[in-house]
Amino acid sequence: MSLEILIQGCLEKNTKAQQELYQLFSGKFFGVCLKYSRNYVEAEDNLQDGFLIIFEKINQYNFSGSFEGWAKRIMINNVLQQYRKVPFLELVNDVVDDSSFEIEDENVSLDFLLKIIQELPDKYRLVFNLYVMDGYTHKEIAEMLNISDGTSKSNLSRAKMILKEKIETAHQEIMPSAK
């Protein structure tokens, strides 16, 4: 079935079309949920909730632009909804480092990176993923999370420092003589 036919079926509340749409996008969207969630189980819950919202709001998709992009935005917003209006997102007077995030050690696995990103405190993990992984601006992040641009920049800087420290610590544990 083509994507347009699947979407039309979902508009008609056809469960077979919903199931096929879920199967088509669940892998990609689970990756999105995993990036923003604290752990695997929370990501699974967020994926299910996100698809329920997609099916509920599919009538708002107007067939202009990418359906995947539209649905991904719903997934991200669904996860972020848990963190909106929560005071722990505020961080003031921290050093802002707007340098790019680069990993110099090619021996760092993707699984390890995902693990340490998920271990970041919520306020840092959300901003890091939105900015580095999904390319949102600090202004967009500030609006999405109800924080200031400066807080977004500060949280990103702190996330980068924490990740760098964790990578360096892991590298030293693997190669104790390396400094």
Side-chain angles (χ1 to χ4, degrees):
M1 242 189 257
S2 76
L3 183 58
E4 285 187 17
I5 292 172
L6 285 177
I7 294 169
Q8 191 59 45
C10 291
L11 283 166
E12 297 165 2
K13 309 286 189 220
N14 178 310
T15 56
K16 184 172 174 14
Q18 290 174 335
Q19 181 181 6
E20 286 189 40
L21 191 74
Y22 179 89
Q23 289 174 341
L24 183 62
F25 290 106
S26 62
K28 285 182 183 178
F29 292 161
F30 182 70
V32 171
C33 292
L34 199 54
K35 268 193 313 194
Y36 291 99
S37 301
R38 292 177 190 102
N39 55 52
Y40 195 90
V41 173
E42 186 178 281
E44 289 176 325
D45 290 343
N46 287 328
L47 178 70
Q48 300 306 317
D49 293 344
F51 267 103
L52 290 174
I53 295 167
I54 288 169
F55 295 142
E56 179 184 310
K57 295 185 176 202
I58 201 158
N59 63 327
Q60 295 176 12
Y61 177 67
N62 59 12
F63 293 92
S64 66
S66 162
F67 174 79
E68 184 177 339
W70 176 84
K72 179 181 175 185
R73 181 74 180 219
I74 288 176
M75 283 291 170
I76 292 172
N77 283 332
N78 173 55
V79 177
L80 295 182
Q81 189 63 35
Q82 299 174 43
Y83 305 105
R84 286 192 178 104
K85 298 179 182 175
V86 179
F88 70 82
L89 283 171
E90 281 299 324
L91 181 68
V92 290
N93 298 329
D94 212 358
V95 177
V96 176
D97 173 14
D98 216 13
S99 64
S100 63
F101 181 73
E102 293 183 25
I103 298 169
E104 297 170 9
D105 187 353
E106 294 103 29
N107 296 324
V108 176
S109 73
L110 189 57
D111 287 340
F112 176 72
L113 279 177
L114 181 59
K115 178 184 177 292
I116 64 174
I117 289 170
Q118 285 180 318
E119 290 173 353
L120 287 170
D122 295 337
K123 59 187 171 186
Y124 304 139
R125 185 184 69 254
L126 296 174
V127 172
F128 179 84
N129 282 324
L130 288 167
Y131 187 84
V132 174
M133 307 296 244
D134 289 319
Y136 288 96
T137 66
H138 286 296
K139 182 178 181 186
E140 291 169 323
I141 294 167
E143 290 171 6
M144 293 168 87
L145 298 177
N146 286 334
I147 59 176
S148 70
D149 290 13
T151 298
S152 176
K153 291 175 184 176
S154 179
N155 287 354
L156 175 63
S157 176
R158 185 67 184 129
K160 288 177 181 180
M161 288 190 299
I162 292 170
L163 292 173
K164 183 177 179 183
E165 288 169 7
K166 287 183 180 240
I167 290 168
E168 288 172 355
T169 300
H171 190 274
Q172 288 175 356
E173 289 172 3
I174 293 169
M175 308 215 17
S177 62
K179 297 234 176 187

